[in-house]
Amino acid sequence: MALTTWALRKSLWVYHVNAGACNNCDIEVLALLTPRFDIERFGMILVGSPRHADVLAVTGVCTRQIMPRLQEVYMQMPKPCVVLAIGACANAQGIFTEAYHMGAAVDETIKAVDPSAIIIYVPGCPPKPEAMIAAAVKGMEFLKTL
Amino acid sequence: MSHKTIINIGPFHPLQEEAEFFQLHVDGETVIDVDVRLSYNHRGIEKLDESKTFDQVPFVVERVCGICSASHPLAYVQAVEEIAHVDVPERSLYLRTIVNELERLHSHLLWVGLAGHFLGYNTVFMWAWKYREPVMDVLETATGSRVNYANAKIGGSRRDISDEQLREIDKVVGELHRPLDMLTNAVLDDPVLHARLKGVGILSPEAAKAYGAVGPTARGSGVPIDVRRDDPYAAYDLVDWDVVTAPGCDVFGKAVVRLLECYEAIKIIKQCIKQIRPGEIDAKVESIPPGEGIGRVEAPRGETFHYVRSDGSNRPVRHKIRAPSYVNIPTFKASCIGQQIADVAITLAAVDPCYSCTERMCRVVDADTHVQVYQFADLVRLSQQKTDRMRRS
Ligand code: SF4
């Protein structure tokens, strides 16, 4: 295991990007921080800059306006890092697939700049906070196998 | 000596959940102009609706904004009910009122928490969100989901709320009184909050009217507008409640309005639960005749307006949405100018802006030649190319 991957296993710092979400996924992500769900017990915390983050939590459909910016945010993150695609929108553009202002889905957008990106999908519209915690824990387990 | 600069905020920044882009024009520490650039979140919902049947549209408009996911479908179904001249059963009117007021409670508590967070009062953030959870729980028991309720349906409601659940809702909102008292007192008595919020982000009643502000943004400036009273829908004319206004015109006023509105919401829910009678919840609408209709609902952020036109087929030919943030955001022009940079965050947040419902397509015009760089034909071309791509893949 490379030293950088070893260091990733604990205390994941999360940077949250809204790539054109309806806000529901975002308030559920915020709810993770609050006393009921309290994701900090896993050492996770939301940070204000992608340069400090290990996890990129993306919600939303990835509109055309967002696409290049999302790629830029991803490129700013130190590698290796994990992408958490939260919600039906971020997984596969959900109900908005046929709308005219869609870019590529989040995974395609990120794989266009880094084909080896690690992407975790959390289905649901919006996923319950419990599902997001489960995904984060699975992600940590996965990192241990690298 | 004056020192003018432009500060760019966004599109991704830790202040707001959503992507938006502000340019603050500052002279030293003082803001002299603001420029808001939107459309990062534009998803083309109005156009998308034209491809859905009347019954499918509520699920799309629910996702206009996740925090107003009871208000938007309700405004839409009211517009369609106006076209079809439907008489909605009384029980359904009460059910709609209950879900909408629960939504207002959770949204206002959410705002109080976020406002505390912006001011560096993370304790307020944690407390407010802690007491918001029981509301989310009853919403989940009553509608099946914490946030996307799928409650309104053309002609009535999709799901009934059982007596047992009604009792549970009654109990939970009753228990909210104490934490609300605590939060309200914390805001009203705290000298630091007074110093941070009073006289900050002044939006005069004249400016509020000139910009067409709605909801708590206008009521915090002493303008008593509220669709629930001015053009009653659902069961709002059957219960007793007051429109809350505050005189301060500042951020403090807006905070007070939101906190006091929580009490009104509890009052409304309790009366609804007391008055609701067993009965039908769906008027069973068979078809939508040609025509046009409007629906107005007081969402937590202000009036949301939906316009629907039908040509007698099973899909709307035009659906227009005007969300409250769309008219509230331009008030930044009045409230931010003359502020210190440090006060801008809370002034912007005081409107409780929600960008997902506001985003519009912009027209880009070349300043020299006056030619539209991005025209309707381009959109059609893009759309056709997409179909083509999908067909081939
Ligand atoms: S997945 Fe659902 S809840 Fe999440 S942003 Fe998309 S529409 Fe909203």
Side-chain angles (χ1 to χ4, degrees):
Chain A
M1 182 184 289
L3 183 65
T4 41
T5 328
W6 175 81
L8 251 192
R9 291 175 311 160
K10 282 187 186 143
S11 296
L12 296 175
W13 283 12
V14 184
Y15 181 74
H16 170 224
V17 165
N18 177 328
C22 76
N23 246 337
N24 257 344
C25 281
D26 308 289
I27 54 176
E28 296 293 60
V29 168
L30 267 195
L32 283 181
L33 294 178
T34 55
R36 154 90 57 103
F37 303 105
D38 190 19
I39 193 133
E40 280 186 33
R41 66 203 146 111
F42 300 105
M44 296 180 132
I45 186 171
L46 276 192
V47 290
S49 161
R51 293 183 204 278
H52 299 163
D54 308 309
V55 177
L56 182 67
V58 190
T59 56
V61 288
C62 194
T63 61
R64 278 197 293 141
Q65 184 95 334
I66 291 273
M67 241 173 96
R69 283 134 183 124
L70 179 62
Q71 288 170 338
E72 196 160 314
V73 168
Y74 180 80
M75 293 315 281
Q76 285 176 0
M77 293 181 55
K79 308 288 173 314
C81 65
V82 178
V83 178
L84 207 54
I86 296 174
C89 285
N91 289 179
Q93 300 184 333
I95 202 167
F96 300 108
T97 323
E98 286 155 14
Y100 59 78
H101 202 239
M102 297 300 110
V106 169
D107 49 357
E108 283 172 33
T109 307
I110 287 177
K111 288 214 162 129
V113 288
D114 178 9
S116 61
I118 305 173
I119 301 178
I120 302 174
Y121 301 85
V122 193
C125 182
K128 292 190 72 172
E130 289 91 337
M132 296 183 197
I133 295 177
V137 173
K138 272 190 190 155
M140 281 192 228
E141 294 296 323
F142 175 75
L143 287 175
K144 283 184 196 155
T145 64
L146 283 185
Chain B
M1 200 190 87
S2 83
H3 179 65
K4 295 199 175 94
T5 24
I6 296 180
I7 300 182
N8 291 323
I9 306 181
F12 295 120
H13 55 100
L15 169 64
Q16 292 270 329
E17 279 299 286
E18 289 165 279
E20 69 279 323
F21 184 45
F22 297 107
Q23 278 188 328
L24 298 180
H25 298 245
V26 294
D27 183 356
E29 273 280 304
T30 316
V31 178
I32 49 177
D33 202 0
V34 241
D35 202 357
V36 188
R37 311 251 171 111
L38 300 172
S39 123
Y40 293 93
N41 257 2
H42 179 78
R43 285 156 294 161
I45 289 178
E46 291 177 3
K47 192 74 192 159
L48 188 62
D49 286 349
E50 292 166 21
S51 67
K52 306 269 181 227
T53 63
F54 280 106
D55 278 334
Q56 289 172 332
V57 174
F59 301 106
V60 184
V61 288
E62 193 167 75
R63 286 152 177 87
V64 168
C65 163
I67 313 181
C68 307
S69 49
S71 310
H72 280 292
L74 183 54
Y76 163 78
V77 298
Q78 282 176 3
V80 179
E81 280 158 5
E82 187 174 306
I83 303 176
H85 303 289
V86 185
D87 272 327
V88 182
E90 197 186 73
R91 183 171 174 90
S92 168
L93 294 179
Y94 279 113
L95 292 180
R96 289 174 175 186
T97 315
I98 293 173
V99 174
N100 270 271
E101 286 309 305
L102 282 172
E103 174 185 86
R104 193 179 319 278
L105 264 178
H106 104 66
S107 174
H108 282 353
L109 283 172
L110 178 143
W111 181 84
V112 171
L114 286 184
H117 172 64
F118 294 148
L119 291 172
Y121 271 62
N122 266 325
T123 327
V124 176
F125 173 46
M126 295 294 168
W127 282 103
W129 282 60
K130 179 180 165 201
Y131 290 115
R132 178 176 162 270
E133 283 298 329
V135 184
M136 308 304 286
D137 284 347
V138 282
L139 273 169
E140 190 176 4
T141 21
T143 67
S145 171
R146 281 164 58 90
V147 269
N148 281 336
Y149 314 115
N151 173 61
K153 164 186 186 189
I154 298 165
S157 300
R158 290 173 55 80
R159 215 181 272 105
D160 205 349
I161 303 183
S162 71
D163 287 345
E164 196 188 346
Q165 287 165 342
L166 285 176
R167 276 198 299 278
E168 172 71 14
I169 296 176
D170 192 53
K171 184 171 137 260
V172 167
V173 295
E175 284 167 358
L176 262 185
H177 261 289
R178 221 167 50 88
L180 269 177
D181 286 345
M182 185 196 77
L183 283 170
T184 315
N185 291 337
V187 173
L188 296 184
D189 295 344
D190 191 303
V192 181
L193 282 184
H194 274 246
R196 277 307 310 273
L197 301 181
K198 281 215 163 151
V200 170
I202 299 272
L203 180 69
S204 66
E206 295 73 38
K209 279 183 194 155
Y211 281 103
V214 290
T217 309
R219 294 198 285 274
S221 291
V223 183
I225 52 166
D226 194 320
V227 186
R228 293 175 290 171
R229 185 202 58 194
D230 303 339
D231 180 13
Y233 56 94
Y236 286 107
D237 48 351
L238 305 174
V239 289
D240 174 40
W241 61 281
D242 297 315
V243 175
V244 181
T245 57
C249 307
D250 46 12
V251 178
F252 192 75
K254 298 188 178 94
V256 170
V257 166
R258 289 206 173 84
L259 281 165
L260 297 184
E261 269 185 12
C262 290
Y263 291 103
E264 292 302 316
I266 296 179
K267 206 160 104 189
I268 296 173
I269 295 171
K270 286 198 158 260
Q271 290 179 60
C272 285
I273 294 176
K274 204 176 280 156
Q275 297 175 12
I276 194 166
R277 294 282 162 267
E280 278 294 308
I281 58 160
D282 187 1
K284 307 229 165 40
V285 181
E286 307 257 287
S287 64
I288 313 292
E292 49 185 4
I294 59 161
R296 306 161 81 192
V297 163
E298 184 76 16
R301 286 155 189 72
E303 172 191 343
T304 156
F305 173 91
H306 283 230
Y307 165 85
V308 180
R309 191 162 73 227
S310 152
D311 63 352
S313 67
N314 64 346
R315 284 151 212 264
V317 241
R318 178 80 177 96
H319 182 195
K320 162 88 192 131
I321 305 171
R322 199 196 71 166
S325 294
Y326 188 61
V327 283
N328 285 341
I329 287 174
T331 62
F332 295 163
K333 279 259 182 214
S335 56
C336 285
I337 292 172
Q339 302 285 313
Q340 301 286 300
I341 301 175
D343 287 333
V344 167
I346 188 66
T347 310
L348 298 185
V351 165
D352 202 358
C354 160
Y355 298 94
S356 54
C357 56
T358 299
E359 306 288 37
R360 294 293 185 272
M361 196 69 208
C362 310
R363 208 166 60 131
V364 184
V365 181
D366 190 306
D368 296 328
T369 59
H370 297 285
V371 177
Q372 269 190 38
V373 184
Y374 220 32
Q375 293 181 338
F376 180 67
D378 297 315
L379 287 182
V380 175
R381 185 170 44 78
L382 283 169
S383 155
Q384 289 169 345
Q385 282 171 353
K386 174 144 189 186
T387 323
D388 204 38
R389 262 205 317 276
M390 285 163 89
R391 222 185 271 133
R392 263 185 273 138
S393 63

